[in-house]
């Protein structure tokens, strides 16, 4: 069993040595906010999550902990305020760094045995502020869930023509904006925009959106890019994907309804998208690999996959009004339900020669599934507001509401509260004044059988694909899903 000898990892923690997600952090000032100008030690830099702690990768690099990692050609990348320079060095560098940190944690006589070294290299998560993990150059949002596209198409067209003619042949997407992508907990303002006339023939009005919605998504960061004019095949795509984050692609539905024809959403979506601060790598996700849905009709050769797979990531959304005693789960889904895979998204994005760059963010689009509570947004869950959801306290919701008077702010208190989770993407903020709490939980398979749990903790990224597949086969009958991580924000 892989263990951490000198950094405590609580039982059931979602940050064991098998996870080791990457992020960018800075220490908090006494006032509770990071001050990058106060001291070099408070400047943003790269770290990894382990237990309730953050392991400072810049200190590890200074102290020679990545010695022998020849694929990491520039170790100054760990001193930077984004993961871009590290991600751009490619998967061999990512794997070597991950293995070096796992070896450091598991060595009872290693550098971490030195208390003075630990004092420098290890920080409590509650003492740091997590930042956007990458400098995001470009953002693309796909529309990869068949269930979501079908429900929305049925609402706005008709059930017989719910899917557009192209949908089963290519992963539909639009190019968004990167400037308003923020980490969990960042205050964002309720948008204003044009909404449709109240009566036919009338004039539109400008107002604060009264129909704000969440969209339950995941997204992945590009690590290794490609040259302009070149393509990335589905087979090679994994070498270019650094890791995954959670994504809430906020939407103002009343603004969207008026503006989306003919070019799609604009102001209804460009005001904010929230992502998780920790990036979970594909190597950490390997034990959760699973088959992707079958595709029919057959796709064109450039979208075909020799090893078609997804990852078993359960997702859950709950809404809790300010004075309610409990949250109400309004959606449950899973990454594995996406019709289009990450490999296909990368292949389609580059088929025309578009260059991807380190730090580009590709969103999956709303992740929905069939059945009750399968809609990944309130638009689906309420059938465009026609059937409001009844919450645990008896209240109804068709959108995320506010209390009067309207305060155009989606905000979170400053102080961070980290929720322990198995493969954790997100952090929560304290919820002292939220009138409408939105919780988004991601779930990775967590072994509920002792043998399965032991196997999971023995997994290392150095395992050959064939070996990992064999282990996964032996392990698959011993596990079940459970809640892993949460994101919360409020609408004020």
């Amino acid at each position: 069993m892989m263990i951490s000898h000198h950094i405590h990892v609580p039982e059931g923690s979602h940050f064991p040595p098998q996870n080791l997600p990457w992020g960018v952090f800075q220490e908090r000032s006494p006032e509770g906010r990071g001050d990058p100008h106060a001291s070099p030690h408070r400047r943003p830099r790269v770290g990894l999550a382990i237990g309730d702690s953050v392991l400072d990768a810049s200190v590890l690099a200074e102290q020679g902990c990545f010695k022998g990692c020849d694929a990491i050609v520039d170790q100054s990348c760990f001193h930077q305020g984004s993961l871009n320079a590290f991600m751009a060095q490619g998967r061999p560098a990512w794997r070597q760094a991950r293995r070096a940190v796992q070896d450091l944690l598991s060595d009872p006589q290693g550098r971490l045995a030195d208390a003075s070294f630990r004092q420098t290299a290890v920080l409590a998560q509650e003492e740091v502020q997590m930042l956007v993990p990458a400098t995001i150059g470009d953002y693309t949002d796909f529309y990869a869930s068949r269930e979501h596209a079908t429900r929305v198409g049925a609402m706005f067209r008709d059930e017989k023509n719910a899917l557009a003619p192209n949908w089963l042949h290519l992963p539909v997407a639009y190019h968004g904006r990167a400037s308003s992508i923020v980490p969990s907990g960042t205050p964002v303002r309720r948008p204003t925009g044009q909404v449709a006339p109240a009566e036919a023939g009338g004039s539109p009005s400008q107002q604060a959106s009264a129909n704000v919605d969440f969209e339950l998504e995941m997204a992945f960061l590009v690590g290794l890019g490609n040259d302009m004019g070149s393509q990335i095949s589905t087979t090679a795509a994994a070498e270019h994907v650094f890791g995954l984050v959670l994504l809430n692609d906020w939407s103002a539905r009343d603004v969207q309804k008026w503006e989306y024809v003919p070019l799609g959403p604009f102001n209804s979506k460009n005001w904010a998208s929230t992502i998780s601060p920790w990036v979970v790598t594909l190597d950490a996700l390997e034990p959760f690999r699973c088959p992707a849905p079958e595709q029919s009709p057959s796709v064109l050769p450039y979208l075909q996959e020799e090893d078609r797979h997804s990852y078993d990531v359960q997702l859950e959304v709950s809404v809790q009004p300010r004075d309610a005693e409990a949250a109400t789960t309004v959606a449950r889904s899973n990454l594995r339900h996406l019709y289009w895979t990450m490999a296909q998204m990368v292949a389609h994005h580059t088929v025309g020669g578009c260059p991807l760059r380190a730090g580009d963010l590709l969103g999956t689009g709303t992740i929905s599934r069939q059945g009750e509570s399968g809609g990944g947004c309130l638009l689906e869950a309420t059938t465009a507001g026609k059937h409001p959801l009844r919450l645990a306290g008896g209240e109804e919701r068709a959108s995320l509401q506010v209390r009067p008077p309207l305060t155009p702010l989606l905000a979170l208190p400053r102080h961070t509260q980290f929720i322990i989770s198995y493969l954790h993407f997100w952090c929560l903020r304290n919820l002292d004044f939220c009138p409408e709490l939105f919780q988004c939980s991601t779930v990775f398979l967590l072994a509920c059988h002792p043998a399965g749990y032991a196997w999971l903790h023995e997994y290392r990224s150095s395992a050959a694909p064939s070996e990992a597949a064999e282990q996964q086969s032996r392990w698959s009958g011993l596990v079940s899903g459970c809640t892993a991580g949460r994101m919360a924000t409020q609408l004020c």
Side-chain angles (χ1 to χ4, degrees):
M1 176 183 292
M2 189 189 307
I3 61 174
S4 172
H5 282 281
H6 302 290
I7 300 178
H8 176 62
V9 178
E11 183 177 357
S13 169
H14 302 267
F15 291 133
Q18 293 72 27
N19 186 1
L20 296 180
W22 295 87
V24 173
F25 73 95
Q26 63 186 20
E27 292 172 84
R28 292 182 177 277
S29 67
E31 293 75 26
R33 274 190 163 180
D35 180 3
H37 304 293
S39 160
H41 300 292
R42 287 201 179 125
R43 290 176 184 163
R45 55 201 187 275
V46 173
L48 304 97
I50 177 72
D52 295 336
S53 304
V54 174
L55 195 55
D56 190 334
S58 69
V59 173
L60 301 187
E62 289 174 355
Q63 297 299 318
C65 297
F66 296 118
K67 184 178 180 180
C69 297
D70 55 342
I72 308 175
V73 296
D74 181 8
Q75 296 190 12
S76 67
C77 62
F78 299 116
H79 294 265
Q80 299 187 19
S82 78
L83 288 169
N84 293 51
F86 174 51
M87 295 191 299
Q89 297 186 53
R91 199 169 190 184
W94 315 335
R95 282 180 159 168
Q96 286 185 0
R98 175 178 167 83
R99 180 60 182 266
V101 174
Q102 288 181 328
D103 289 342
L104 181 69
L105 292 168
S106 61
D107 186 355
Q109 308 299 326
R111 295 295 306 277
L112 287 171
D114 183 346
S116 61
F117 178 76
R118 292 199 305 274
Q119 186 174 6
T120 303
V122 183
L123 300 90
Q125 288 193 15
E126 63 185 11
E127 297 176 354
V128 306
Q129 177 187 9
M130 298 305 300
L131 309 175
V132 175
T135 300
I136 301 170
D138 284 293
Y139 165 51
T140 299
D141 199 23
F142 282 85
Y143 194 44
S145 167
R146 182 171 185 170
E147 291 78 10
H148 175 66
T150 299
R151 287 196 188 101
V152 173
M155 289 180 209
F156 295 104
R157 288 187 292 274
D158 62 81
E159 292 186 4
K160 293 183 179 180
N161 299 290
L163 293 180
N166 64 351
W167 200 93
L168 294 172
H169 297 277
L170 58 85
V172 174
Y174 75 95
H175 185 254
R177 44 75 208 114
S179 59
S180 55
I181 297 175
V182 295
S184 173
T186 301
V188 293
R189 291 192 174 276
R190 175 182 288 270
T192 62
Q194 283 196 30
V195 299
E199 298 179 356
S203 298
S205 61
Q206 179 188 0
Q207 64 183 54
S209 174
N211 192 0
V212 171
D213 198 355
F214 62 83
E215 288 192 352
L216 176 60
E217 302 191 26
M218 297 195 75
F220 56 95
L221 282 165
V222 172
L224 189 65
N226 61 299
D227 294 331
M228 185 172 179
S230 67
Q231 302 174 1
I232 300 175
S233 68
T234 55
T235 303
E239 300 301 311
H240 296 261
V241 175
F242 178 71
L244 282 81
V245 295
L246 287 175
L247 168 64
N248 176 15
D249 195 24
W250 296 102
S251 299
R253 299 299 187 192
D254 43 1
V255 178
Q256 183 178 358
K257 182 179 179 180
W258 173 243
E259 73 174 4
Y260 83 101
V261 177
L263 296 180
F266 183 53
N267 285 328
S268 57
K269 284 182 174 287
N270 68 9
W271 51 283
S273 296
T274 303
I275 64 170
S276 56
W278 293 113
V279 187
V280 178
T281 65
L282 293 188
D283 285 322
L285 289 171
E286 188 63 28
F288 311 102
R289 178 191 288 237
C290 64
E294 294 185 7
Q295 293 186 317
S296 179
S298 179
V299 296
L300 293 176
Y302 79 95
L303 289 171
Q304 294 175 5
E305 301 170 274
E306 295 179 4
D307 176 22
R308 179 170 168 77
H309 68 274
S310 185
Y311 297 95
D312 197 333
V313 182
Q314 297 181 31
L315 301 158
E316 185 175 290
V317 179
S318 299
V319 173
Q320 183 176 352
R322 178 185 177 89
D323 299 322
E325 295 182 359
T328 301
T329 299
V330 298
R332 291 186 177 92
S333 192
N334 195 304
L335 181 66
R336 71 187 301 167
H337 296 310
L338 286 183
Y339 189 84
W340 297 101
T341 66
M342 289 186 287
Q344 290 176 313
M345 295 179 209
V346 170
H348 186 62
H349 204 304
T350 61
V351 68
C354 172
L356 293 176
R357 297 173 294 182
D360 285 352
L361 187 74
L362 278 63
T364 61
T366 303
I367 303 173
S368 301
R369 65 169 176 83
Q370 294 181 355
E372 186 178 357
S373 301
C377 60
L378 289 176
L379 176 70
E380 285 183 72
T382 66
T383 315
K386 294 178 181 178
H387 306 289
L389 298 176
R390 182 170 293 277
L391 305 183
E395 298 182 58
E396 292 186 342
R397 287 291 185 275
S399 63
L400 297 178
Q401 296 182 5
V402 296
R403 56 184 174 181
L406 179 66
T407 304
L409 185 66
L410 282 158
L412 289 166
R414 280 190 320 205
H415 304 291
T416 301
Q417 173 188 357
F418 289 88
I419 299 301
I420 303 305
S421 55
Y422 186 65
L423 284 177
H424 185 82
F425 286 95
W426 224 300
C427 64
L428 286 176
R429 298 282 177 153
N430 290 333
L431 304 168
D432 342 359
F433 61 89
C434 61
E436 182 89 319
L437 168 64
F438 162 64
Q439 295 182 340
C440 170
S441 305
T442 183
V443 181
F444 281 92
L445 283 180
L446 175 62
C448 62
H449 187 286
Y453 190 77
W455 174 83
L456 187 57
H457 277 248
E458 289 170 359
Y459 175 82
R460 298 187 69 108
S461 62
S462 57
S466 58
E467 178 187 353
E470 181 181 353
Q471 290 175 327
Q472 173 70 24
S473 177
R474 294 199 304 266
W475 182 67
S476 59
L478 303 177
V479 299
S480 66
C482 74
T483 301
R486 296 183 178 180
M487 182 279 286
T489 192
Q490 64 260 348
L491 194 58
C492 297

